[in-house]
Amino acid sequence: MDYKVLYRKYRPQDFSTVVDQKEIIEILKNSVKNQKISHAYIFSGPRGTGKTTTARIFAKYINCLNPTDSGPCNECDICNLNQDNVDIIEIDAASNTSVDDVREIINNVKIAPAYSKYKVYIIDEVHMLSPSAFNALLLTLEEPPSNIVFIFATTNIENVPITILSRCQRFDFKKITDSSMFEHLKNIAKKEKIKIDEDAIKEIVYLSDGALRDALSILDQLAFDNKKITYDTVANHLGIISNKKIASLLDNIFNNKINDVLTILDEFKNINIDYRYLLKKLLDNLEIFAIKIKNNELNYDYSKVVNLSMDIANLINQININLNPYSLITIILLNYCDNEQPLENTNDKKKIEQNTQTDDSIEEKSTFDENIKNIRTNNCLVNVQKKYLTLIQNFWSKFIGSISENKKIMMLLIDSDVVAASDNYLIITNELESTVNLINLNLETIENLFYKEYNKEYKMISLTKNEWLKVKEEYIKNIKNKKKYQMIEEKKVLKKENNIEQIATSIFDESKIVIEGE
Ligand SMILES: [Zn+2]
């Protein structure tokens, strides 16, 4: 398959093409000029901000035979080794967390570099290492051989032990600014001959919230059929919230229409609108409301706008993703509705539902049942085995190659990973919540396509990487405690609609897990 996703195709090869992060790059360049290279660096910051890319370029740079002002020359014998340079070792701590993995590194640390001046270890998502792995690593960091450089990258600096941090030179990567991201996307679209409106680019910038990789994945997904990408394309494809819908949510709040507020929030929840995105949109629209009120174009209480904005800003800062963010959002929003609304009769309610459904972009999306997600994840874990995973993983790129005619599905899967498999279930992860949702809405198609190629029926489910990490953690804990997962029938649960929430929350509950030997 020769298709290369955009973020890989446009991954910077030297410092000059890294988007933003100028100060960090200046310091890194100077450290090489002044020959003051540290033994350990830690790059922290949100995902998609260039940490791993910068680490790779820096690793090449310190070994390059003819370093230039913009980074490695990419021409000398060492640079030309590229992926084959055995002295640059990349480890993804998200999948290699055990002390054995680290021990292997440490044993090899003592072996001198094969070709280069420095042996560089790039450890991605270093916060995922286990405590014992950290301890093992610490021993090396305390007395590192002179020609070893560690570059750690992490999205969760808080979870890196202070003992490690204190031995590293730290760089905090910032979110890519909207204007840089806009220019970057515009350039790539031009180079790729992707026809796209500026409004559409702006919405992608907005959606990806400072993560370049996300922005390029979205662009990839939208560019599959060579049609011009407009704001509506972005809205329809990603199930994003239109400003019209947000404005109507706020109107309902200011008019104390509690049921309408709840109906719209339910819709957002059902199509998995990311709560951070929702909050951001609400704030933006409140700004518009504020201006309109001051211009006498709207007749709402200004202090209500101020207070609601402050509450939303606080929510953005404080919301704990382990809680149910939508509950909190609902509670805060309802706080701004006075409870004066007379009881509605069912006809009215129906009318409202019809209205909201014919409103705009959103009705094109069907909803994906969260419970199926939980059930299938559970069912996959019942008989999850490395051997099944290896088989599927080995087959996966062939499978994706085989569906190149169904480009829409291909674009959803090309950047996704299979992370767990049993004999008839598998779990697919993707960084983007919107992609995960689209995969889940297309499961049947994907399963059929897979069956055609693999000749074995598989039920699938997609999770975001973060969701998967949590499931995995829970799984490891349960296995250690010798608790066993049990199959849950999908149909049975689906029928008991009233009971669904209860069942969903009980999936990982003690009562559903049988202790071995009992
Ligand atoms: Zn070079």
Side-chain angles (χ1 to χ4, degrees), residues 64-66 72-76 79:
C64 175
L65 302 177
N66 309 303
C73 71
N74 285 319
E75 281 168 359
C76 70
C79 282

Side-chain angles (χ1 to χ4, degrees), residues 43-57:
F43 294 174
S44 85
R47 67 202 178 84
T49 51
K51 298 183 298 295
T52 316
T53 300
T54 308
R56 285 182 186 154
I57 298 171

Side-chain angles (χ1 to χ4, degrees), residues 377-400:
T377 305
N378 174 82
N379 289 355
C380 181
L381 295 176
V382 173
N383 189 24
V384 67
Q385 285 185 45
K386 184 93 186 169
K387 66 172 181 190
Y388 297 124
L389 179 64
T390 312
L391 283 172
I392 303 267
Q393 279 176 337
N394 290 341
F395 185 74
W396 198 248
S397 60
K398 196 179 158 208
F399 168 56
I400 290 176

Side-chain angles (χ1 to χ4, degrees), residues 14-48:
D14 66 27
F15 292 130
S16 68
T17 43
V18 174
V19 182
D20 289 353
Q21 322 299 0
K22 300 272 176 294
E23 287 156 37
I24 292 173
I25 285 166
E26 251 346 274
I27 300 170
L28 289 175
K29 281 204 290 201
N30 282 331
S31 72
V32 174
K33 267 186 213 147
N34 303 326
Q35 298 196 323
K36 280 188 179 150
I37 292 163
S38 304
H39 281 300
Y41 296 85
I42 188 155
F43 294 174
S44 85
R47 67 202 178 84

Side-chain angles (χ1 to χ4, degrees), residues 44-249:
S44 85
R47 67 202 178 84
T49 51
K51 298 183 298 295
T52 316
T53 300
T54 308
R56 285 182 186 154
I57 298 171
F58 187 62
K60 235 175 165 182
Y61 191 47
I62 57 179
N63 282 320
C64 175
L65 302 177
N66 309 303
T68 71
D69 196 48
S70 52
C73 71
N74 285 319
E75 281 168 359
C76 70
D77 288 348
I78 300 288
C79 282
N80 271 332
L81 288 170
N82 286 319
Q83 316 290 6
D84 299 330
N85 190 343
V86 291
D87 296 326
I88 299 177
I89 301 113
E90 261 188 62
I91 298 143
D92 180 11
S95 46
N96 305 285
T97 58
S98 76
V99 67
D100 287 339
D101 294 320
V102 174
R103 201 154 281 147
E104 204 183 307
I105 299 174
I106 289 162
N107 288 335
N108 292 330
V109 157
K110 292 172 197 141
I111 304 166
Y115 319 98
S116 328
K117 204 153 131 201
Y118 296 98
K119 198 152 153 182
V120 188
Y121 287 91
I122 300 172
I123 306 187
D124 222 350
E125 297 299 0
V126 68
H127 63 275
M128 298 290 298
L129 290 179
S130 65
S132 46
F134 270 126
N135 283 336
L137 187 62
L138 196 57
L139 290 175
T140 323
L141 285 178
E142 275 166 353
E143 283 177 60
S146 60
N147 44 16
I148 295 291
V149 175
F150 282 98
I151 309 174
F152 305 124
T154 178
T155 45
N156 281 63
I157 192 100
E158 319 80 58
N159 295 343
V160 180
I162 192 88
T163 44
I164 300 279
L165 281 182
S166 65
R167 286 174 173 79
C168 298
Q169 196 176 346
R170 173 172 166 179
F171 292 95
D172 293 324
F173 283 61
K174 303 203 173 53
K175 278 186 186 174
I176 313 280
T177 62
D178 285 358
S179 56
S180 305
M181 181 105 82
F182 182 86
E183 284 309 315
H184 193 67
L185 290 181
K186 209 171 140 184
N187 277 332
I188 288 181
K190 204 172 155 194
K191 280 184 195 151
E192 292 288 313
K193 299 195 170 70
I194 297 170
K195 288 169 270 170
I196 183 165
D197 280 351
E198 295 214 337
D199 277 351
I201 301 182
K202 272 185 201 149
E203 195 60 19
I204 297 175
V205 168
Y206 185 88
L207 267 169
S208 47
D209 196 26
L212 197 54
R213 188 180 158 153
D214 290 356
L216 292 177
S217 298
I218 294 171
L219 187 60
D220 249 331
Q221 287 172 23
L222 295 173
F224 71 92
D225 61 0
N226 297 326
K227 278 191 199 136
K228 182 165 190 174
I229 303 167
T230 62
Y231 176 88
D232 285 342
T233 324
V234 185
N236 289 336
H237 186 69
L238 295 173
I240 63 179
I241 326 173
S242 66
N243 284 326
K244 206 164 115 197
K245 197 94 198 174
I246 291 282
S248 107
L249 173 63

